[in-house]
mmCIF file of all heavy atoms in Angstrom:
data_model
loop_
_atom_site.group_PDB
_atom_site.id
_atom_site.type_symbol
_atom_site.label_atom_id
_atom_site.label_comp_id
_atom_site.label_asym_id
_atom_site.label_seq_id
_atom_site.Cartn_x
_atom_site.Cartn_y
_atom_site.Cartn_z
ATOM 1 N N THR A 206 -5.102 43.690 -4.975
ATOM 2 C CA THR A 206 -3.669 43.773 -5.232
ATOM 3 C C THR A 206 -3.416 43.567 -6.711
ATOM 4 O O THR A 206 -4.067 42.741 -7.358
ATOM 5 C CB THR A 206 -2.884 42.732 -4.405
ATOM 6 O OG1 THR A 206 -1.485 42.966 -4.543
ATOM 7 C CG2 THR A 206 -3.183 41.314 -4.846
ATOM 8 N N GLY A 207 -2.570 44.380 -7.301
ATOM 9 C CA GLY A 207 -2.308 44.294 -8.731
ATOM 10 C C GLY A 207 -3.525 44.600 -9.584
ATOM 11 O O GLY A 207 -3.628 44.130 -10.723
ATOM 12 N N GLY A 208 -4.460 45.384 -9.027
ATOM 13 C CA GLY A 208 -5.659 45.753 -9.771
ATOM 14 C C GLY A 208 -6.742 44.694 -9.785
ATOM 15 O O GLY A 208 -7.776 44.869 -10.442
ATOM 16 N N GLU A 209 -6.569 43.574 -9.037
ATOM 17 C CA GLU A 209 -7.561 42.503 -8.968
ATOM 18 C C GLU A 209 -7.881 42.212 -7.506
ATOM 19 O O GLU A 209 -7.056 42.410 -6.611
ATOM 20 C CB GLU A 209 -7.040 41.225 -9.638
ATOM 21 C CG GLU A 209 -6.708 41.359 -11.107
ATOM 22 C CD GLU A 209 -7.943 41.362 -11.990
ATOM 23 O OE1 GLU A 209 -9.034 41.042 -11.467
ATOM 24 O OE2 GLU A 209 -7.818 41.675 -13.180
ATOM 25 N N ASP A 210 -9.108 41.719 -7.268
ATOM 26 C CA ASP A 210 -9.523 41.390 -5.907
ATOM 27 C C ASP A 210 -9.163 39.950 -5.558
ATOM 28 O O ASP A 210 -9.385 39.028 -6.356
ATOM 29 C CB ASP A 210 -11.031 41.569 -5.743
ATOM 30 C CG ASP A 210 -11.453 43.025 -5.776
ATOM 31 O OD1 ASP A 210 -10.651 43.887 -5.346
ATOM 32 O OD2 ASP A 210 -12.575 43.298 -6.236
ATOM 33 N N ILE A 211 -8.625 39.755 -4.340
ATOM 34 C CA ILE A 211 -8.493 38.414 -3.759
ATOM 35 C C ILE A 211 -9.718 38.180 -2.893
ATOM 36 O O ILE A 211 -9.994 38.953 -1.975
ATOM 37 C CB ILE A 211 -7.222 38.295 -2.896
ATOM 38 C CG1 ILE A 211 -5.963 38.563 -3.708
ATOM 39 C CG2 ILE A 211 -7.147 36.908 -2.262
ATOM 40 C CD1 ILE A 211 -4.682 38.529 -2.873
ATOM 41 N N THR A 212 -10.463 37.103 -3.176
ATOM 42 C CA THR A 212 -11.670 36.787 -2.416
ATOM 43 C C THR A 212 -11.720 35.287 -2.139
ATOM 44 O O THR A 212 -10.913 34.510 -2.647
ATOM 45 C CB THR A 212 -12.935 37.204 -3.176
ATOM 46 O OG1 THR A 212 -12.982 36.494 -4.424
ATOM 47 C CG2 THR A 212 -12.956 38.707 -3.451
ATOM 48 N N ALA A 213 -12.732 34.898 -1.330
ATOM 49 C CA ALA A 213 -13.041 33.486 -1.064
ATOM 50 C C ALA A 213 -11.812 32.704 -0.620
ATOM 51 O O ALA A 213 -11.574 31.583 -1.053
ATOM 52 C CB ALA A 213 -13.671 32.836 -2.287
ATOM 53 N N SER A 214 -11.031 33.289 0.271
ATOM 54 C CA SER A 214 -9.771 32.676 0.692
ATOM 55 C C SER A 214 -9.952 31.856 1.960
ATOM 56 O O SER A 214 -10.596 32.294 2.917
ATOM 57 C CB SER A 214 -8.726 33.765 0.934
ATOM 58 O OG SER A 214 -7.564 33.240 1.527
ATOM 59 N N SER A 215 -9.374 30.661 1.985
ATOM 60 C CA SER A 215 -9.331 29.832 3.182
ATOM 61 C C SER A 215 -8.140 28.895 3.058
ATOM 62 O O SER A 215 -7.827 28.417 1.974
ATOM 63 C CB SER A 215 -10.620 29.018 3.354
ATOM 64 O OG SER A 215 -10.821 28.139 2.261
ATOM 65 N N GLY A 216 -7.467 28.644 4.181
ATOM 66 C CA GLY A 216 -6.279 27.817 4.086
ATOM 67 C C GLY A 216 -5.849 27.216 5.404
ATOM 68 O O GLY A 216 -6.414 27.493 6.470
ATOM 69 N N VAL A 217 -4.838 26.366 5.317
ATOM 70 C CA VAL A 217 -4.267 25.692 6.478
ATOM 71 C C VAL A 217 -2.743 25.752 6.391
ATOM 72 O O VAL A 217 -2.179 26.040 5.336
ATOM 73 C CB VAL A 217 -4.732 24.221 6.565
ATOM 74 C CG1 VAL A 217 -6.193 24.136 6.960
ATOM 75 C CG2 VAL A 217 -4.495 23.501 5.246
ATOM 76 N N TYR A 218 -2.087 25.431 7.504
ATOM 77 C CA TYR A 218 -0.630 25.461 7.541
ATOM 78 C C TYR A 218 -0.118 24.349 8.451
ATOM 79 O O TYR A 218 -0.828 23.855 9.323
ATOM 80 C CB TYR A 218 -0.126 26.818 8.031
ATOM 81 C CG TYR A 218 -0.619 27.211 9.410
ATOM 82 C CD1 TYR A 218 0.059 26.808 10.554
ATOM 83 C CD2 TYR A 218 -1.769 27.989 9.564
ATOM 84 C CE1 TYR A 218 -0.386 27.163 11.814
ATOM 85 C CE2 TYR A 218 -2.220 28.348 10.822
ATOM 86 C CZ TYR A 218 -1.532 27.930 11.942
ATOM 87 O OH TYR A 218 -1.977 28.281 13.188
#
Side-chain angles (χ1 to χ4, degrees):
T206 188
E209 299 283 349
D210 290 329
I211 300 177
T212 60
S214 171
S215 61
V217 288
Y218 59 87

